[in-house]
């Protein structure tokens, strides 16, 4: 994802939560550093998901999980039964 796209979506989060006025500029840099490898379209979906579900400003982990949810392997082999 590009920094410009990240900044736009981060600004949407900042605008939506009242605690955001207490966030420092360094916070945005930390979020960028940890989340910049997420594909842009997935990050946008993650931001929208957090806006819809999170009561508080999402953590890096919450944004990452919303953007790249864990994949369940339903075809994993079952353990042997005695």
């Amino acid at each position: 994802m590009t920094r410009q796209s990240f900044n736009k979506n981060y600004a949407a989060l900042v605008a939506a939560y009242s605690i955001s006025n207490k966030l420092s500029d360094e916070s945005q840099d930390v979020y960028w550093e940890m989340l910049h490898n997420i594909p842009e379209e997935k990050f946008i979906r993650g931001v929208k998901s957090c806006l819809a579900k999170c009561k508080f400003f999402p953590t890096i982990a919450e944004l990452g999980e919303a953007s790249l949810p864990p994949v369940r392997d339903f075809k994993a082999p079952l353990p042997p039964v005695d």
Side-chain angles (χ1 to χ4, degrees), residues 1-49:
M1 125 178 67
T2 65
R3 182 68 190 241
Q4 182 180 7
S5 175
F6 170 81
N7 289 347
K8 178 182 173 185
N9 287 284
Y10 187 85
L13 290 170
V14 169
Y17 295 95
S18 60
I19 189 74
S20 60
N21 62 356
K22 297 179 183 177
L23 292 173
S24 67
D25 291 337
E26 290 80 18
S27 294
Q28 184 172 354
D29 292 336
V30 172
Y31 273 71
W32 165 251
E33 183 62 34
M34 297 302 294
L35 300 169
H36 73 275
N37 288 328
I38 296 173
E40 187 171 325
E41 65 280 350
K42 291 185 180 199
F43 183 70
I44 292 169
R45 274 188 270 149
V47 168
K48 288 179 180 179
S49 176

Side-chain angles (χ1 to χ4, degrees), residues 43-73:
F43 183 70
I44 292 169
R45 274 188 270 149
V47 168
K48 288 179 180 179
S49 176
C50 286
L51 287 170
K53 296 177 184 177
C54 295
K55 293 180 181 182
F56 303 103
F57 194 88
T59 64
I60 291 169
E62 288 171 327
L63 267 171
E65 233 178 80
S67 300
L68 298 171
V71 177
R72 291 179 150 194
D73 184 5

